[in-house]
Amino acid sequence: DVKVTQSSRYLVKRTGEKVFLECVQDMDHENMFWYRQDPGLGLRLIYFSYDVKMKEKGDIPEGYSVSREKKERFSLILESASTNQTSMYLCASSRPDRYEQYFGPGTRLTVT
Amino acid sequence: GEDVEQSLFLSVREGDSSVINCTYTDSSSTYLYWYKQEPGAGLQLLTYIFSNMDMKQDQRLTVLLNKKDKHLSLRIADTQTGDSAIYFCAENKNSGYALNFGKGTSLLVTP
């Protein structure tokens, strides 16, 4: 069965902290994605990666960076967390020959 | 970019059929998807349709595609309270691997 896991379901951080959100998939997928989900705005793509060490900016990359050192792991980094980064963060993965994405359970991040 | 459009809310009675509508943006999209999100959870892939099809049926789910109007719909037969969730439609973007999602339709099923 397809499995995408995220390191935390809930996270509370202070303004200015460096935050790491981890995502792991066990399906050997090449593509991995980070979205944030906010009420009334739907899902917005932050970054995606189509291979190890490769990354592409999505629609809203400002304030975020990513790391993909291993195929199964894709990390989202908030260099200096701000209150407007309080959101639900969703990770997804997909095969290179298919578009359907498989999602993790999400991390609800609160920045105070 | 252009938005995938969905109505925000739908309320139906248990046992009735639900129809969730979506207008997508890219006539060259190869696949169109429906995802379900239950409260506090990630998105679950429900079904998808290939762009050369008009209809796809999967148990209680029926997907209809009108390419001319770029209109996609999801019909849920015999809707149950467990179907209460947010439903997202998505299209594959013209370039790259990303999907373009609608803002989601909140379906409320009342007894």
Side-chain angles (χ1 to χ4, degrees):
Chain A
D1 219 9
V2 161
K3 198 85 185 274
V4 180
T5 56
Q6 294 182 229
S7 49
S8 307
R9 293 301 305 274
Y10 301 94
L11 208 51
V12 180
K13 295 292 182 181
R14 291 196 180 275
T15 303
E17 279 192 85
K18 190 168 186 175
V19 182
F20 293 86
L21 303 183
E22 305 284 342
C23 175
V24 176
Q25 50 95 4
D26 66 359
M27 298 160 286
D28 203 35
H29 285 171
E30 274 77 6
N31 302 330
M32 295 188 75
F33 307 82
W34 275 106
Y35 295 88
R36 64 177 282 177
Q37 182 180 17
D38 300 287
L41 297 177
L43 274 75
R44 293 180 290 168
L45 181 65
I46 305 171
Y47 267 98
F48 69 96
S49 168
Y50 53 90
D51 203 348
V52 174
K53 296 194 189 295
M54 306 303 288
K55 61 185 179 185
E56 292 277 344
K57 292 180 180 179
D59 300 318
I60 51 161
E62 296 79 21
Y64 303 95
S65 62
V66 290
S67 171
R68 184 121 181 249
E69 297 296 319
K70 292 186 177 182
K71 190 176 185 180
E72 67 272 16
R73 188 179 297 269
F74 192 34
S75 303
L76 180 70
I77 304 153
L78 287 66
E79 295 290 342
S80 176
S82 64
T83 54
N84 63 12
Q85 292 178 310
T86 291
S87 187
M88 171 73 114
Y89 289 88
L90 293 165
C91 174
S93 71
S94 72
R95 285 167 42 179
D97 58 335
R98 304 278 298 192
Y99 290 101
E100 59 262 27
Q101 296 178 15
Y102 296 91
F103 282 80
T107 296
R108 186 164 293 283
L109 172 68
T110 302
V111 183
T112 62
Chain B
E2 290 182 69
D3 291 341
V4 173
E5 300 284 347
Q6 297 180 241
S7 52
L8 291 182
F9 299 103
L10 177 65
S11 180
V12 299
R13 287 193 179 274
E14 193 173 18
D16 288 349
S17 292
S18 308
V19 179
I20 302 170
N21 294 301
C22 170
T23 303
Y24 60 97
T25 67
D26 190 345
S27 57
S28 66
S29 291
T30 314
Y31 290 93
L32 295 138
Y33 299 90
W34 284 104
Y35 283 84
K36 176 184 180 182
Q37 185 182 35
E38 295 180 358
L43 274 68
Q44 172 196 351
L45 178 63
L46 271 184
T47 187
Y48 65 90
I49 188 166
F50 189 52
S51 59
N52 68 353
M53 298 168 66
D54 298 324
M55 185 181 91
K56 180 179 180 182
Q57 189 147 3
D58 184 359
Q59 300 182 334
R60 292 190 299 122
L61 305 179
T62 303
V63 179
L64 296 177
L65 176 60
N66 179 331
K67 280 194 75 174
K68 175 174 163 291
D69 295 335
K70 290 187 279 186
H71 186 263
L72 183 73
S73 67
L74 174 70
R75 179 178 180 269
I76 306 172
D78 187 25
T79 314
Q80 302 298 307
T81 54
D83 295 322
S84 291
I86 303 175
Y87 291 81
F88 293 90
C89 72
E91 60 179 351
N92 65 276
K93 288 191 174 182
N94 195 24
S95 60
Y97 305 102
L99 294 178
N100 192 20
F101 285 87
K103 290 185 170 53
T105 299
S106 288
L107 174 65
L108 176 66
V109 183
T110 56

